Amino acid sequence: MAEGGARSGGGLRRFLQIAFSIGAVVLIARHVDLRETGRILAGAHLDWAIFAVVLYLFGQVMSAFRWWLIGRSVGLDGSFASYVRFYFIGMFFMFFGPSTLGGDFVRGLYLAEGGGRRARAFNSVVFDRLNGLVILVAIGAASFLIFPRYRDLAPEFTLMFYVTVAFGSALLVGWMLAPWLARTFLPTDHKVRRFIATDLGPFWSDRRMLVATSTVSFFFHLVQIAAQWVVSRALGIDVPFSYICVFHPLVSAVASIPISLSGIGLREGGYLYFLTKIGVDQPSAIAYGGLWFLVIVANSIVGGVVFLASGARLPTLRDSVD
């Protein structure tokens, strides 16, 4: 009964996500010449596009390395190759999987399979996401500070600057002080306090791991920014690397909000907004988002190949008990 309800809820959520993405795409299509966008995409330099795919692929290996460092710190001692394999399979299911089977859930299942470490495996995935998000937002906030010239592009950029810096600072401080804040302000039996202290506590206690994973996250995001710069070169449009440092964290954060299908519509709308502020025409801005989307799809397909090469078998939750 509960399982049927979960499936029904997952199906409704996926339907609403698809509806939102379709609505966003239709709205963009009403204001942008998509035929011109298609022409620009068709004329993209293939060598630069392939380079963007390779850079993105390399970034995902770095992200898997970060997850390996996190897992190893709490005794999840699988090989780095296994973590890479699980990570890429998770990428495939995050993009192509059914609504009730997310990519993070899949890689947590793989890591837990046969080891009796389900809670630690899933929490390592949660902590991996938290670490990446904190560093991503910190990069956006720092970029607004380092490149103040971009604040003058539009009146709303000043507000965006203060919000980003405030949010980035709060997230970073909150990340560092989370265990203390939970102990100080939440009652002993509060589920959030228990989750932070008991489930995630071991991850915070390893300071060497925190420094190492945060460093990997920083360079991972720089690789993604470099891949986006390569996308601009593939399309022949001039987008400064420094400007991508400003808008990439914002667009990525917005696209990750689970109200659309794989960020479709949110991501393209974000690129349309930011790129037109520096003089990029609307069809080229949407082409930029479209080519970046194709880069993500190409890497997700690589994850599908890894899944097939691994036997196309998913572990079951029942096999992974604490």
Side-chain angles (χ1 to χ4, degrees):
M1 188 80 172
E3 184 179 355
R7 289 179 178 175
S8 176
L12 176 61
R13 182 171 62 252
R14 177 53 63 96
F15 172 78
L16 292 175
Q17 289 173 334
I18 293 173
F20 182 92
S21 290
I22 291 175
V25 171
V26 169
L27 184 63
I28 291 172
R30 291 182 60 184
H31 296 87
V32 180
D33 185 352
L34 293 187
R35 283 183 295 183
E36 177 63 14
T37 294
R39 187 193 66 77
I40 295 170
L41 277 173
H45 297 282
L46 185 60
D47 50 351
W48 283 104
I50 292 174
F51 186 33
V53 171
V54 172
L55 271 179
Y56 191 97
L57 191 69
F58 176 66
Q60 300 313 298
V61 174
M62 291 179 65
S63 194
F65 177 65
R66 177 185 66 202
W67 182 35
W68 176 68
L69 290 174
I70 292 171
R72 191 178 61 169
S73 73
V74 290
L76 298 170
D77 295 324
S79 67
F80 173 56
S82 295
Y83 273 79
V84 172
R85 180 165 62 89
F86 301 158
Y87 194 92
F88 274 89
I89 293 174
M91 283 174 53
F92 172 71
F93 278 93
M94 186 171 293
F95 198 88
F96 294 107
S99 60
T100 56
L101 198 62
D104 285 345
F105 183 73
V106 167
R107 60 183 173 118
L109 277 180
Y110 270 110
L111 186 59
E113 186 180 35
R117 305 155 297 180
R118 186 178 65 197
R120 277 182 292 168
F122 284 115
N123 289 333
S124 74
V125 174
V126 172
F127 204 79
D128 176 57
R129 285 292 180 189
L130 284 173
N131 182 276
L133 176 62
V134 168
I135 301 304
L136 176 65
V137 174
I139 289 174
S143 298
F144 263 120
L145 288 169
I146 296 170
F147 308 112
R149 63 185 179 275
Y150 295 125
R151 290 179 238 158
D152 299 326
L153 290 175
E156 61 269 23
F157 271 30
T158 300
L159 175 61
M160 198 177 297
F161 160 71
Y162 287 117
V163 170
T164 303
V165 172
F167 181 62
S169 301
L171 194 59
L172 183 59
V173 171
W175 160 265
M176 296 171 63
L177 299 180
W180 177 82
L181 291 171
R183 290 194 305 269
T184 303
F185 297 103
L186 297 177
T188 305
D189 59 346
H190 196 285
K191 62 180 181 181
V192 173
R193 175 172 174 172
R194 291 201 308 270
F195 179 67
I196 292 176
T198 305
D199 297 331
L200 295 183
F203 298 106
W204 262 289
S205 64
D206 191 339
R207 296 185 181 276
R208 181 176 297 182
M209 179 273 289
L210 284 174
V211 172
T213 53
S214 297
T215 302
V216 173
S217 288
F218 175 75
F219 285 105
F220 158 70
H221 291 306
L222 285 186
V223 168
Q224 282 217 318
I225 290 168
Q228 290 218 348
W229 180 82
V230 170
V231 163
S232 72
R233 300 301 302 166
L235 297 171
I237 58 179
D238 184 21
V239 183
F241 186 90
S242 57
Y243 189 54
I244 300 176
C245 291
V246 169
F247 74 74
H248 166 68
L250 296 174
V251 174
S252 295
V254 170
S256 67
I257 299 173
I259 60 174
S260 67
L261 182 64
S262 300
I264 297 172
L266 288 174
R267 184 186 303 108
E268 290 71 23
Y271 292 137
L272 179 63
Y273 172 79
F274 281 103
L275 293 179
T276 53
K277 297 300 182 185
I278 59 170
V280 175
D281 61 85
Q282 290 183 338
S284 294
I286 296 301
Y288 181 100
L291 185 53
W292 183 247
F293 176 76
L294 292 176
V295 168
I296 297 173
V297 170
N299 278 270
S300 298
I301 291 173
V302 171
V305 172
V306 172
F307 176 60
L308 291 176
S310 301
R313 182 192 62 83
L314 281 170
T316 62
L317 185 61
R318 196 172 3 184
D319 292 332
S320 308
V321 293
D322 291 320

